[in-house]
Structures are given as C-alpha cells and as structure tokens.
Amino acid sequence: MRPSRTPRGFRLVLCPVDFSAHARRALRYAAALAHDSGGRIVVLFVQDPLLLAAAARIHTEQAFASTVDKELRRFVATSLAHSGFAPKSIDYRVGRGAPAATIDATARALRCDLIVMGTHGLSGVKRLFFGSTTRAVLRRASRPVFAVPKLDRTRRHHAPRLDTWAGTRVIAPVDWNAGHEADVRAAVDVARRFHTTLLLLHVVPLTIPPPWFRAHPERYDRVRTRHASERLARLASKFGQGVRISYRAVLGDPADEIAAVAADGRASLIVMTLRPGELWGATRGAIAYHVLCEGVSPVLALPLGWRAARVRKKAGTAGRG
C-alpha cells in the first residue's frame, strides 16, 4: 500500500445508478474522480417499492436479490469496460426505500467523500426518479454532490477520460453572502486539484421597477455590475496563488446566466455552495438544479462548511484501493 502522491481527490465515491444510459455516464465520471485520487467507488442501486412488489409475484426474495446483484455487476462492467478502472476498487450495495433518503443515509454510513449521480434516468416502474431524486439529494446532502446533467443534443458530450476529465476551466458563481470568501477558497482548491483555470462569476439580478417608476434602473444596474466586477477582482487577487483566476460580472437571472456563461466558456465543471437560502436567496440546491437542467456542464455542489483540507488529509494518509 502506498499513499497518494497528490493531495487531490475524493477517496470514497458513492454512485447511485438505475441501469439507464445516463447512469452509465455518471458512473464513468465517478470512475474518473476515484481514479484521480487512487480511491474506490461504491455503486448503489435503490430498489423501488413498486418494483419489489412486482418482483414478489414472480420471484422469491433471495432469487430476486441474486438477479439484481448480477445485473448490477454486469452494468458496471460494461459501463467501465476499457476505462482502466480496476474492478477490485468497486463495491456494490443494494438498498430499498425512498431514493434520496437511502442515498444520503448510505453516504453518511460509509463516510463517503463524494456522491456522483445523474439528473435523468429510466422512466416507468424501473425508474430511480433521478430528476426529483437529484433535487432532493441537493436539498439535504451532507457530502459534496457531483451531478451530471442530461445530454444536450446541441452540444457534444464525450465520456470522460480518467486522466484529463476536468478539462480546462472551472466556473464558481459567487454571491455576496457572509461566507462568500469561504466559497471562493473551496472553488480555488477544486481548480488547483484538477489543474484547471477558474472563473469567478457574479450575476447581478435585474432591477424590475413598477410601471409608475420613471427613473432609469438600467443605469443603477450598470453601476452595480461595475462594483461587482471590482469586488471579484479583489477576490481573484486575494485567492489566486497557484491558480489562474479570471472574473466576470453579468446582469440577469442567476441560473440562466450561470448556464449561459458556462456554455460560452466551455466550462467542464461548475462549483457551487449549498446553503439554506442558497445563492441569490433561492432554496438550497434550487439554482444548482436549474443549471443542471440546462445540460451544459456537471455541477459540483459543496455543503456549507465543506473544507478541502479534510479530503486532502485523507488523500495523504490512506492507501490506494
């Protein structure tokens, strides 16, 4: 056993799957992230109560459990064929119950460093409800969540390579909440870990006056945008050691503008912080999920108070799987 040579990464990655093509893609991202850290994957299938009820009519519980286990292993093997990720670095779990609660409970029980999941999966009786489940996981997650969006047919999405999956740019939306410097510090650490550049982005919400208001709110919005750009410049200067940081302030709807900037800049990852009363006053996870629905880039959602140093310490002391 030899320690990881880099301080990067997530050592134990939980990846819920539902046997869909989108889950297959999320699993490849999980393998890339675990490989980058010399870590392991736990693949989780959550059995839907409706599926269990239907199976009980034609199978014994033991026979059905055996079938699920075989199919889960087959799905993983075909998904990661030729990826270079060692089978011995994969564990398998089957749960039952409400998907989001089961995913969160499993992540807590195993002390996983990261949850990787898709946003869309199968429909009908076999589904894991990936859309609503991802939203629910973001709302309650105690661990970082790496969420993979549905494929956008207007853009080309390739299966990530294990060595260079992170691409060249990470985008970090910044709000002026009390913890915004901690958010930037976490985003800088992610960019450093994946050897990418970082774009700090602030979206200035439009001023929408009542019809009788006769002033010119667009002038005020221009001033707010300029001030936001100046604040971002100071943040880039303060936290830019070892990472190439650029910044940009734009005007508009936060979720729409984050997705648009990510698409224009070909961002490979969007890093966002989850907090009660999230960025720009939205509920926890709402803007992150909205961005995911645009199908632009994966989103790494970090719980409030998450510190990369915790992962860094593990990476320096744990042996490779």
Side-chain angles (χ1 to χ4, degrees):
M1 296 292 224
R2 60 193 178 95
S4 173
R5 292 175 297 176
T6 70
R8 305 185 301 169
F10 301 95
R11 301 287 297 174
L12 188 59
V13 177
L14 177 66
C15 184
V17 301
D18 70 343
F19 297 99
S20 67
H22 194 54
R24 191 183 304 276
R25 185 165 178 262
L27 183 57
R28 290 170 182 161
Y29 270 102
L33 287 156
H35 174 85
D36 185 69
S37 309
R40 301 179 62 83
I41 300 174
V42 176
V43 181
L44 171 67
F45 173 64
V46 181
Q47 299 182 104
D48 189 297
L50 293 177
L51 178 62
L52 287 174
R57 294 179 175 272
I58 55 176
H59 297 282
T60 65
E61 184 172 344
Q62 184 176 4
F64 182 66
S66 177
T67 300
V68 169
D69 182 72
K70 289 178 181 178
E71 292 301 322
L72 185 59
R73 291 174 183 270
R74 182 180 301 167
F75 177 80
V76 172
T78 57
S79 299
L80 300 183
H82 312 298
S83 70
F85 194 76
K88 66 180 181 180
S89 298
I90 305 171
D91 296 323
Y92 301 87
R93 296 284 175 123
V94 177
R96 63 175 67 186
T102 304
I103 291 167
D104 185 60
T106 302
R108 289 173 181 270
L110 299 180
R111 298 185 178 181
C112 295
D113 299 309
L114 179 69
I115 299 169
V116 177
M117 62 187 302
T119 55
H120 292 73
L122 294 171
S123 60
V125 74
K126 294 193 249 182
R127 83 284 193 234
L128 180 60
F129 288 112
F130 257 144
S132 59
T133 298
T134 303
R135 187 166 47 209
V137 169
L138 289 171
R139 193 177 299 128
R140 69 193 300 166
S142 59
R143 266 68 175 165
V145 178
F146 187 100
V148 182
K150 182 181 180 181
L151 296 179
D152 183 341
R153 294 181 181 178
T154 66
R155 303 180 181 91
R156 296 183 65 185
H157 291 262
H158 300 283
R161 290 175 51 187
L162 294 182
D163 54 348
T164 60
W165 75 270
T168 59
R169 172 171 287 187
V170 170
I171 291 182
V174 180
D175 192 10
W176 306 132
N177 57 75
H180 71 273
E181 288 199 358
D183 299 347
V184 172
R185 191 178 296 113
V188 167
D189 187 80
V190 171
R192 183 183 295 116
R193 176 175 299 154
F194 296 129
H195 306 294
T196 65
T197 62
L198 175 64
L199 172 66
L200 300 179
L201 174 67
H202 179 77
V203 182
V204 179
L206 285 165
T207 301
I208 303 178
W212 49 262
F213 191 76
R214 300 188 181 280
H216 298 281
E218 65 275 7
R219 297 177 183 174
Y220 175 57
D221 288 342
R222 284 197 296 270
V223 171
R224 293 164 63 215
T225 303
R226 186 178 70 250
H227 288 171
S229 183
E230 292 169 353
R231 292 186 72 175
L232 290 174
R234 291 193 290 271
L235 287 172
S237 176
K238 182 174 182 178
F239 296 104
Q241 294 79 9
V243 176
R244 183 179 174 184
I245 301 180
S246 58
Y247 54 89
R248 184 175 175 186
V250 297
L251 189 66
D253 175 79
D256 290 342
E257 292 302 322
I258 292 169
V261 171
D264 292 343
R266 298 182 180 275
S268 51
L269 183 65
I270 302 170
V271 179
M272 303 180 72
T273 299
L274 298 171
R275 59 164 54 82
E278 199 193 43
L279 300 176
W280 295 275
T283 58
R284 192 179 197 259
I287 291 180
Y289 187 73
H290 187 152
V291 173
L292 282 165
C293 290
E294 295 295 326
V296 177
S297 307
V299 170
L300 176 59
L302 305 176
L304 183 64
W306 181 82
R307 291 292 179 269
R310 296 175 184 171
V311 177
R312 186 178 292 135
K313 182 178 180 181
K314 286 186 179 181
T317 57
R320 289 184 180 273

